[in-house]
Amino acid sequence: MAIFSKKSDRTPPPPRRTISRASDDTTRVDERPRHTSQYRRGRTMAGSTSHTLRESHAHALHQATPREKMHHLANLRQKLIIMLVGLFVMVVVLGTLLQQFTASAAVELSGIARSVTSVRVYEASLQDYLSQRPLERFRFNIDHDAMTAFLHAKHPEVESVVSEGYESLATSRFEVTLRTPVVSWMVDEKIYYVDQYGVSFEKNVHDEPSVKIVDNSGVDYTSGAAIASERFLNFVGQAVARSNDAGVTVTEVSIPAGTSRQVALTLDGYEYEVIMSIDRSVGEQVEDMGRVVRHFNDQGRTPQYVDLRVKGKAFFRE
């Protein structure tokens, strides 16, 4: 009877359908995959280790599939090739720059036997030039005109400087051409030389010129002062050189008394002198001299002198 029955403390069991649903939900939660990697269509399969291979995990290579290992090795090979190519290019560039670099200069005199004493001064001057222009220590960047002008300012006997390439490690070879004198001029026991371009200098490594300037002008020269203007020296040098080219050999150049703007040329095989003026073109006077010499040779006449100072005319005395 209900009146005598004891009140139960137990909670009534849930319906069977509810239990079944709860059990299914628990099972579904437990069966969820624990792998949280992002799925990539066509590239990633369940259990892929590509991400661990990229991160260089130690255990990834043992767990990777053959396909993943192949891709991993291909990537390593590509990186290695790029590194080797870059290293090779860097070595070639550095080697080329080192081969072109000039740390020290070795000078060779054109047409003259090399000696330590003769080239040391030019090597020192080249080092001074390169110190002022460090970018020109690379031979492909050398300004030969500027280098020649720099050396000529210190050494007037230098005519040109040319880089001749590689001498040894970080040492470049330079060929220095020294001027060849065509006349010499002695003043106060000091000899000056003039080349075919009229440039005067004091140091001569070539043979002594056969033509000498005899100064009869009577001008007193002061020690340390120039013996003549650059224009005068230029005229004398070109007059001798062009006369020799025209087939007339000049043996002596003299300056007449009382003037410093005229010269008298003594010709080999002729007894008369040819007087020229530095105010006229040297080329025109040399051409006039050639015509005058041929004229007197054809007529068999020998004048005392020929004066070519006036353009288009020749004065002479027999």
Side-chain angles (χ1 to χ4, degrees):
M1 294 177 57
I3 196 170
F4 297 103
S5 62
K6 294 182 180 180
K7 189 176 180 180
S8 177
D9 296 332
R10 298 177 59 185
T11 304
R16 185 172 297 176
R17 182 178 299 176
T18 305
I19 295 175
S20 177
R21 289 181 178 178
S23 177
D24 294 341
D25 294 340
T26 304
T27 302
R28 292 175 182 176
V29 172
D30 295 339
E31 292 178 355
R32 289 179 181 176
R34 297 180 180 180
H35 195 278
T36 59
S37 299
Q38 183 180 2
Y39 179 78
R40 291 175 292 178
R41 182 176 181 181
R43 296 181 62 186
T44 306
M45 297 182 297
S48 173
T49 58
S50 60
H51 65 290
T52 56
L53 283 174
R54 289 194 304 270
E55 297 172 0
S56 301
H57 289 184
H59 64 279
L61 191 60
H62 300 285
Q63 299 178 357
T65 63
R67 183 178 179 182
E68 290 174 338
K69 292 179 180 181
M70 182 179 64
H71 289 169
H72 179 64
L73 292 177
N75 292 334
L76 289 179
R77 188 183 303 111
Q78 184 179 8
K79 293 179 181 180
L80 183 60
I81 291 175
I82 293 175
M83 291 178 61
L84 290 177
V85 171
L87 181 62
F88 176 77
V89 172
M90 185 179 299
V91 169
V92 171
V93 172
L94 291 178
T96 302
L97 292 178
L98 182 61
Q99 195 270 340
Q100 291 285 326
F101 184 74
T102 303
S104 60
V107 171
E108 178 180 350
L109 300 180
S110 177
I112 304 173
R114 178 177 177 178
S115 63
V116 177
T117 56
S118 61
V119 302
R120 186 175 297 169
V121 291
Y122 305 118
E123 291 176 349
S125 297
L126 284 175
Q127 288 290 357
D128 293 341
Y129 175 81
L130 295 176
S131 298
Q132 296 180 15
R133 300 189 179 189
L135 292 180
E136 294 192 27
R137 287 191 177 273
F138 296 100
R139 288 195 302 275
F140 58 81
N141 197 39
I142 292 179
D143 187 349
H144 290 93
D145 293 336
M147 179 177 288
T148 299
F150 182 87
L151 258 70
H152 176 68
K154 288 191 171 184
H155 312 284
E157 69 275 7
V158 173
E159 181 175 349
S160 64
V161 182
V162 179
S163 174
E164 290 294 327
Y166 180 81
E167 174 74 14
S168 61
L169 183 62
T171 301
S172 298
R173 183 173 68 255
F174 294 88
E175 184 180 70
V176 176
T177 302
L178 301 181
R179 300 183 184 277
T180 302
V182 293
V183 297
S184 62
W185 192 346
M186 178 176 288
V187 177
D188 294 335
E189 298 182 355
K190 190 172 185 180
I191 300 178
Y192 296 87
Y193 300 94
V194 182
D195 69 351
Q196 60 179 340
Y197 303 107
V199 179
S200 62
F201 55 96
E202 300 179 18
K203 183 178 179 180
N204 178 35
V205 296
H206 299 278
D207 297 334
E208 289 293 317
S210 58
V211 181
K212 297 182 179 180
I213 297 179
V214 179
D215 192 349
N216 297 322
S217 62
V219 178
D220 295 329
Y221 297 100
T222 304
S223 179
I227 60 175
S229 65
E230 182 179 355
R231 180 184 177 186
F232 182 87
L233 295 175
N234 185 283
F235 180 90
V236 172
Q238 292 193 44
V240 174
R242 296 194 180 194
S243 297
N244 294 336
D245 293 340
V248 180
T249 303
V250 179
T251 60
E252 184 177 283
V253 177
S254 61
I255 304 176
T259 181
S260 59
R261 306 185 67 83
Q262 302 174 15
V263 292
L265 277 60
T266 301
L267 309 180
D268 186 20
Y270 300 93
E271 299 179 1
Y272 54 90
E273 294 181 337
V274 178
I275 301 175
M276 296 184 179
S277 172
I278 67 172
D279 295 326
R280 279 194 63 198
S281 170
V282 60
E284 293 179 357
Q285 294 182 85
V286 170
E287 292 178 359
D288 294 342
M289 180 183 66
R291 287 191 290 265
V292 168
V293 168
R294 288 193 298 270
H295 172 75
F296 286 119
N297 286 341
D298 294 340
Q299 295 187 357
R301 302 165 60 182
T302 303
Q304 295 182 7
Y305 68 88
V306 176
D307 191 343
L308 303 176
R309 290 178 295 173
V310 179
K311 182 177 180 181
K313 295 182 180 181
F315 300 91
F316 62 95
R317 173 180 295 179
E318 292 184 327

